[in-house]
Amino acid sequence: MKPFIPQLVYIEPQALEYPLGRELKEKFEKMNIEIRETTSHNQVRNIPGDNEVQKYRNAKSTLVVGIRRTLKFDTSKPSAEYAIPLATGCMGHCHYCYLQTTLGSKPYIRTYVNLEEIFEQASKYMEERRPELTRFEAACTSDIVGIDHLTHSLKKTIEFIGQTEYGQLRFVTKYHHVDHLLDAKHNGKTRFRFSVNSRYVIKNFEPGTSSFDDRLKAARKVAKAGYPLGFIVAPIYMHEGWREGYHELFQRLSKSLEGINLEGLTFELIQHRFTKPAKKVIEKRYPKSKLEMDEEKRKYKWGRYGIGKYVYLTEEAKDLETTIREYINSHFPESEVQYFT
């Protein structure tokens, strides 16, 4: 698939006080993309569309260039201590994505141009925790690789963290547009993770993302560039033929990584779950989705903030975990595996 290009751009006037803001405005003008002004990246209105579904889809191709005013970083446990806020929103249309409810009525993509202020805040967090390492998850409410060919914010962050003594960076992506990141001076401090799944899940639930093969080719590239490598399988979903589907996934993954140094390889595995608010939004935005969300077939599990989630029944969950771990151990016996329900 081709790299993301927005169909519509909004810019906060104050964003033009920063070099990146001016650079992006000039870039989009040369591309003849419509540019509108907005007072705040949190108050973007008048997204085109005759109904909510059309507006949602158009918002997914809208980029807002703004300033990150809240510099208190969110925590990002268990993957990292903090989320470093480079962007919000994603151009992908993954049916199961938690951003369906997290971003609510603001599904448009936001990129923040005040990078030096963000880096300064990150430095303060690292100083507070030294001599312990501080791990940062880059843009955990976005797929930062999907827009970084336009902004290079991620590349700048990789090189910023690469110069630190006590910092580490990590992020996950479903996109293969990584060539501009291969020469970044990461100094081994950034873990590049790719989201992968069975053919069934990618085909039915991940429109608007790079193909599995393209993701694997990109994984080889970044591993050869010396980045620590990881994979996320999420959600692990019990579709018809799931055993064969996930077995094939790890077979293909193993074959694609032949000849690559896999020292320190990591896997993060997350079972499929959903909440009632998420189900309502997903069914509205993707009315023809095949995503199974039958509460009668699930177990209710209390979550944070009083919002519970529906997870697989205990025996099913154990079977799923045992099977996936066996597949990984047979192909990647030295890897580190984390499993989340």
Side-chain angles (χ1 to χ4, degrees):
M1 66 177 299
K2 294 181 179 179
F4 169 75
I5 299 296
Q7 296 179 2
L8 176 63
V9 171
Y10 284 84
I11 299 180
E12 291 183 12
Q14 280 186 286
L16 300 178
E17 298 174 8
Y18 295 83
L20 180 55
R22 295 190 294 271
E23 175 189 326
L24 290 174
K25 182 174 185 291
E26 182 178 343
K27 180 179 292 186
F28 295 134
E29 285 175 340
K30 289 181 178 178
M31 297 169 73
N32 294 317
I33 296 173
E34 181 182 355
I35 298 175
R36 300 179 181 178
E37 184 178 301
T38 181
T39 55
S40 167
H41 63 80
N42 284 319
Q43 299 295 328
V44 174
R45 298 183 176 88
N46 301 319
I47 298 287
D50 295 331
N51 54 53
E52 185 176 334
V53 172
Q54 287 183 7
K55 289 180 180 180
Y56 169 73
R57 294 188 176 276
N58 288 333
K60 284 281 197 173
S61 60
T62 298
L63 180 65
V64 182
V65 180
I67 298 169
R68 178 72 182 197
R69 292 176 173 81
T70 303
L71 291 176
K72 180 181 179 181
F73 293 3
D74 291 333
T75 57
S76 190
K77 297 292 181 69
S79 66
E81 278 70 49
Y82 295 104
I84 189 165
L86 305 177
T88 303
C90 177
M91 69 293 299
H93 282 271
C94 299
H95 296 185
Y96 51 75
C97 185
Y98 71 96
L99 295 182
Q100 301 282 357
T101 48
T102 303
L103 298 184
S105 61
K106 302 172 185 176
Y108 47 82
I109 305 157
R110 286 166 269 185
T111 187
Y112 307 116
V113 299
N114 52 325
L115 295 180
E116 292 305 319
E117 295 168 9
I118 292 170
F119 294 165
E120 182 179 349
Q121 182 62 42
S123 296
K124 292 178 181 177
Y125 285 124
M126 285 184 277
E127 183 63 28
E128 288 174 1
R129 288 177 47 82
R130 64 180 301 178
E132 292 184 54
L133 292 175
T134 300
R135 299 168 300 167
F136 295 96
E137 182 81 28
C140 62
T141 54
S142 179
D143 190 318
I144 187 64
V145 174
I147 61 171
D148 203 62
H149 61 284
L150 296 170
T151 67
H152 282 210
S153 296
L154 176 59
K155 186 172 187 177
K156 294 182 177 72
T157 306
I158 290 171
E159 296 192 329
F160 161 69
I161 293 293
Q163 296 173 1
T164 66
E165 186 175 3
Y166 297 107
Q168 290 186 342
L169 184 69
R170 57 210 317 268
F171 54 89
V172 62
T173 184
K174 291 186 176 79
Y175 293 95
H176 72 281
H177 310 111
V178 301
D179 288 355
H180 72 288
L181 299 170
L182 300 180
D183 64 350
K185 298 178 178 63
H186 57 79
N187 293 325
K189 293 180 177 290
T190 290
R191 181 171 295 277
F192 215 123
R193 292 129 77 219
F194 287 88
S195 176
V196 294
N197 220 306
S198 68
R199 288 181 188 269
Y200 182 92
V201 171
I202 292 176
K203 176 183 177 181
N204 289 290
F205 307 133
E206 297 185 359
T209 65
S210 294
S211 70
F212 182 75
D213 287 336
D214 281 343
R215 296 180 209 180
L216 296 189
K217 290 175 185 176
R220 285 188 65 90
K221 289 180 180 180
V222 300
K224 286 183 176 180
Y227 284 96
L229 186 63
F231 292 96
I232 291 182
V233 188
I236 300 176
Y237 180 78
M238 297 188 78
H239 56 82
E240 184 177 351
W242 66 267
R243 294 176 190 277
E244 295 79 9
Y246 283 105
H247 191 202
E248 185 204 28
L249 160 65
F250 293 107
Q251 286 178 320
R252 293 169 71 194
L253 190 59
S254 177
K255 186 174 181 179
S256 73
L257 295 175
E258 288 178 355
I260 296 293
N261 179 7
L262 299 179
E263 184 180 354
L265 180 68
T266 62
F267 286 93
E268 293 159 75
L269 314 171
I270 306 174
Q271 287 186 27
H272 179 248
R273 76 287 292 273
F274 65 91
T275 63
K276 280 194 173 181
K279 178 181 178 178
K280 184 177 180 180
V281 173
I282 291 166
E283 289 179 337
K284 194 171 187 178
R285 290 176 173 171
Y286 303 104
K288 296 181 180 180
S289 178
K290 296 181 180 180
L291 192 65
E292 182 274 307
M293 294 180 290
D294 185 349
E295 293 92 340
E296 298 299 319
K297 296 180 180 179
R298 301 294 185 106
K299 178 178 71 173
Y300 188 78
K301 182 178 179 180
W302 284 103
R304 290 189 300 171
Y305 314 119
I307 300 177
K309 55 190 175 183
Y310 291 89
V311 300
Y312 287 122
L313 300 174
T314 303
E315 290 305 313
E316 289 181 333
K318 287 181 180 179
D319 185 18
L320 199 62
E321 179 177 357
T322 300
T323 302
I324 299 299
R325 283 187 180 275
E326 287 177 355
Y327 292 159
I328 293 176
N329 289 335
S330 66
H331 292 290
F332 305 99
E334 303 301 321
S335 63
E336 175 189 330
V337 180
Q338 291 180 292
Y339 202 98
F340 304 100
T341 58

